[in-house]
Amino acid sequence: AQKITQTQPGMFVQEKEAVTLDCTYDTSDPSYGLFWYKQPSSGEMIFLIYQGSYDQQNATEGRYSLNFQKARKSANLVISASQLGDSAMYFCAMRESGANNLFFGTGTRLTVIP
Amino acid sequence: DGGITQSPKYLFRKEGQNVTLSCEQNLNHDAMYWYRQDPGQGLRLIYYSQIVNDFQKGDIAEGYSVSREKKESFPLTVTSAQKNPTAFYLCASSIGIRTTNEKLFFGSGTQLSVL
């Protein structure tokens, strides 16, 4: 079974609007961390936001927030006030306790329309 | 500036040839990783290293080899045994490897193509 599922291959959003990128995960480990990365066309993966499984509040980092619904095993990324520079691939990832690496989803390509 | 440097940015391999991708970090991180990225797929782990002179296979290690002789360096060799090497290769590092909040820092990648 896939540990991380991103069901939206591509998304479009109007500049200055908000957009939600979906991510669901699968784990039986009670302790885990969830990450979102941005990959612009240059190729480098840029860390955006982190949510721990025991965190009571949803994580926020500037215009990025993570809508964490533990019972549904979802960790959606919300980008507010979209900018043209937000156009990129976005990857959701998870690290389980004791795991030696991150598991990545297949990504969502976001295009911001002027 | 601290970071991860990958070179070259583009690399071409001939049939039967081994090629080596360079990865250097000056973040003083203990752990380093190599990922492969194919179009439409997520990142898949090739090898990782927690400390110098130690490394472990990831999910798709066949046809690849690594070394970790220095903390700063983690080169990846794509051998002739790797029959489908065309992909984008990303090197990453993290402070450690044991906690769930260990985020990865990435280099800018190497695009490997077969001639």
Side-chain angles (χ1 to χ4, degrees):
Chain A
Q2 292 289 333
K3 287 189 177 288
I4 296 287
T5 302
Q6 295 180 253
T7 58
Q8 305 156 315
M11 289 281 288
F12 292 87
V13 63
Q14 203 76 37
E15 193 178 6
K16 300 180 184 176
E17 297 292 312
V19 63
T20 297
L21 307 183
D22 294 342
C23 173
T24 58
Y25 58 92
D26 181 27
T27 182
S28 58
D29 191 337
S31 178
Y32 52 89
L34 296 158
F35 302 78
W36 276 92
Y37 281 85
K38 172 184 178 181
Q39 186 180 41
S41 56
S42 59
E44 184 176 354
M45 297 280 282
I46 302 167
F47 167 76
L48 296 178
I49 196 167
Y50 166 81
Q51 179 86 42
S53 60
Y54 294 118
D55 293 344
Q56 294 297 314
Q57 292 188 324
N58 288 342
T60 60
E61 290 283 350
R63 294 187 298 110
Y64 304 108
S65 60
L66 202 152
N67 185 2
F68 182 45
Q69 299 188 41
K70 196 170 183 176
R72 295 185 178 183
K73 292 189 176 179
S74 75
N76 299 338
L77 177 70
V78 180
I79 305 174
S80 63
S82 296
Q83 302 172 356
L84 296 178
D86 292 335
S87 293
M89 284 289 290
Y90 288 82
F91 290 92
C92 180
M94 176 177 66
R95 186 192 286 271
E96 298 167 309
S97 63
N100 295 321
N101 68 310
L102 264 61
F103 295 99
F104 286 83
T106 53
T108 295
R109 181 172 296 282
L110 177 67
T111 302
V112 180
I113 304 167
Chain B
D1 285 339
I4 300 177
T5 302
Q6 288 188 242
S7 62
K9 191 163 181 63
Y10 301 96
L11 187 58
F12 298 91
R13 194 192 88 166
K14 296 180 181 178
E15 289 287 337
Q17 187 181 41
N18 292 354
V19 292
T20 298
L21 284 61
S22 171
C23 178
E24 302 278 333
Q25 56 103 354
N26 60 3
L27 299 168
N28 199 31
H29 286 173
D30 285 326
M32 296 188 74
Y33 313 74
W34 275 105
Y35 285 90
R36 170 178 171 144
Q37 184 178 19
D38 294 282
Q41 298 191 36
L43 278 64
R44 293 182 291 168
L45 183 68
I46 305 172
Y47 269 98
Y48 66 94
S49 168
Q50 298 184 58
I51 56 172
V52 174
N53 292 323
D54 182 68
F55 48 83
Q56 304 295 329
K57 292 182 179 180
D59 300 322
I60 55 166
E62 186 174 352
Y64 300 97
S65 66
V66 294
S67 62
R68 187 87 186 275
E69 297 177 1
K70 299 186 299 181
K71 188 175 185 178
E72 303 80 16
S73 179
F74 192 42
L76 173 74
T77 296
V78 183
T79 74
S80 57
Q82 173 50 245
K83 298 307 179 187
N84 184 23
T86 297
F88 189 61
Y89 291 86
L90 283 159
C91 178
S93 71
S94 63
I95 295 172
I97 207 165
R98 292 300 180 193
T99 61
T100 56
N101 63 350
E102 287 286 3
K103 68 181 183 184
L104 300 184
F105 295 78
F106 285 85
S108 55
T110 293
Q111 175 64 50
L112 175 62
S113 303
V114 176
L115 289 176

